[in-house]
Amino acid sequence: MANIIGFDPGMGAIKLYGAGGGAGGGVELPSQVATNGTKRLTHVAGLARRTAPPEIHTADGSFYVGLGAHDYGRPVENLDYDRLTGSPEMRALLYGSLEAYAQRYGTNHKPLTLAVGLPIETLSGEQAGANVAAVRDWLRGDHVWQTDGRERKAHIEGVLVTPQPVGALFDYVLDEEGNFIKERKGALTKETGVISIGFNTIELLVIRDKAPVERFTTGNTSGVRRLLELVNRQGLYSLGELDAQLRAGKLDYKDALPVWEREVGGEIEKRWGRAYLRFERVIVVGGGAILLAKGMADRFGAKAYVPDQPVLATARGLYKLARMQENRKRKG
């Protein structure tokens, strides 16, 4: 079996999902990056010692990655889509997530095939083809980095690119082997909606007869970062610092949540109106699916479906999609 990994390069977290150790599993690495320009304090009597985040050394320099990275160096917060085409911080995040995946599931030295989910906006318009080519160009080939004083290598030979919400759809209709779940296969032919509420974007996708319905499909930058911006009106914290507080359950967002929830609802209403009443299902994924679970259930009722791991669901679905395609190739 090919060494397939679903790769969701989110602005809030990098998510990888594959068949590590034979059983499906995933990892999530918060997309916090800092250039390593800070000397470490090693002896501080009377204060607690903290564990530093992973440090990744690449040809572009040295980076802290993951939760808490912004406490150890100069924060890098580039939320532009160009980071997806191989910026230095994205390379460091990919290598950090591959390191985390190897630590949890073991190292597989076979060449990798990555199934990559990109925001809808990057796959729309005149630049779509160029964006796909740029992503494939930086991912394919040999990758070398260092961590903990040891050299690491990976070879990526295949890159499948598709919109992020497509991953959520195939997570719903396929099992871990890439085979259709009998009672859900009809979701590809009937009208099925997908809402992906990530850190940077909200993505809306509707499928009918195995093809997207363009007028119901869109993406915009009203994701969880908007909630954090509402909390951070004075600009006292980096988005990474606020995200760390949110993940730790230490962020007071109760006043900002209703405002953000209305903004999200407005974006959905603007694109779908009441047409969702005819949808077979509305699949809701991403970190925002956890924050807005009640609101989504109130809006869509029994049609709403939130998977067991809404943050990992897109990467898991990308993996399943690539497995399905591999199965078809083997059968000829």
Side-chain angles (χ1 to χ4, degrees):
M1 183 180 73
N3 191 12
I4 296 170
I5 292 181
F7 176 31
D8 179 5
M11 300 295 188
I14 303 297
K15 282 82 69 177
L16 300 182
Y17 196 94
V27 296
E28 176 187 358
L29 180 74
S31 296
Q32 298 173 25
V33 186
T35 54
N36 181 6
T38 305
K39 292 183 178 180
R40 296 283 305 283
L41 293 173
T42 56
H43 295 84
V44 186
L47 297 179
R49 296 187 63 181
R50 299 173 61 190
T51 301
E55 191 174 356
I56 304 295
H57 301 272
T58 74
D60 298 306
S62 180
F63 303 86
Y64 288 115
V65 298
L67 201 62
H70 288 186
D71 290 337
Y72 285 82
R74 184 184 296 275
V76 179
E77 289 198 309
N78 171 18
L79 298 182
D80 292 336
Y81 290 136
D82 62 0
R83 72 181 286 180
L84 301 173
T85 60
S87 66
E89 66 270 20
M90 178 54 74
R91 290 177 181 270
L93 285 166
L94 173 61
Y95 302 156
S97 60
L98 287 172
E99 183 73 19
Y101 186 85
Q103 289 177 359
R104 182 171 300 182
Y105 301 108
T107 301
N108 186 332
H109 296 288
K110 293 196 299 183
L112 294 171
T113 293
L114 294 189
V116 186
L118 295 182
I120 287 175
E121 190 172 341
T122 66
L123 299 178
S124 305
E126 296 179 356
Q127 293 300 312
N131 290 336
V132 171
V135 169
R136 286 177 172 157
D137 285 347
W138 87 264
L139 285 174
R140 280 179 178 155
D142 294 319
H143 294 264
V144 180
W145 68 96
Q146 289 184 338
T147 185
D148 295 330
R150 291 173 293 180
E151 185 177 83
R152 306 293 194 192
K153 294 181 179 180
H155 180 76
I156 300 173
E157 66 175 7
V159 179
L160 167 68
V161 178
T162 195
Q164 287 170 340
V166 171
L169 177 69
F170 280 95
D171 181 56
Y172 178 73
V173 300
L174 297 178
D175 62 20
E176 292 274 353
E177 304 299 318
N179 300 315
F180 281 105
I181 299 171
K182 184 177 180 181
E183 60 271 23
R184 295 181 179 178
K185 187 176 182 180
L188 291 179
T189 53
K190 300 175 183 177
E191 282 188 322
T192 299
V194 178
I195 303 174
S196 175
I197 310 173
F199 184 81
N200 193 47
T201 61
I202 297 174
E203 312 271 312
L204 303 179
L205 173 71
V206 173
I207 293 291
R208 183 177 66 234
D209 294 329
K210 301 181 181 181
V213 181
E214 295 288 345
R215 74 183 179 97
F216 291 142
T217 298
T218 189
N220 62 74
T221 54
S222 299
V224 177
R225 66 175 285 192
R226 175 60 181 149
L227 172 66
L228 301 184
E229 289 168 350
L230 289 169
V231 173
N232 193 35
R233 291 188 184 277
Q234 292 181 290
L236 301 179
Y237 299 90
S238 72
L239 289 174
E241 289 173 317
L242 291 172
D243 186 38
Q245 292 178 37
L246 179 63
R247 292 171 183 271
K250 297 180 179 179
L251 183 67
D252 182 5
Y253 58 83
K254 64 179 183 299
D255 292 334
L257 183 63
V259 178
W260 178 55
E261 185 169 19
R262 287 195 296 273
E263 290 184 7
V264 172
E267 292 296 334
I268 296 171
E269 173 71 20
K270 185 164 55 180
R271 181 61 61 164
W272 288 0
R274 292 177 57 81
Y276 72 85
L277 293 171
R278 72 196 205 198
F279 297 170
E280 179 75 8
R281 268 279 191 231
V282 177
I283 303 165
V284 188
V285 300
I290 300 172
L291 293 167
L292 300 179
K294 184 180 183 304
M296 292 295 108
D298 290 344
R299 177 178 291 269
F300 298 112
K303 293 181 183 292
Y305 172 82
V306 179
D308 60 321
Q309 294 180 295
V311 175
L312 277 173
T314 293
R316 184 171 62 188
L318 293 167
Y319 164 75
K320 292 177 179 181
L321 171 60
R323 282 292 306 272
M324 179 184 72
Q325 294 192 349
E326 182 196 26
N327 293 342
R328 290 176 174 174
K329 287 179 182 178
R330 284 207 307 262
K331 291 177 181 178

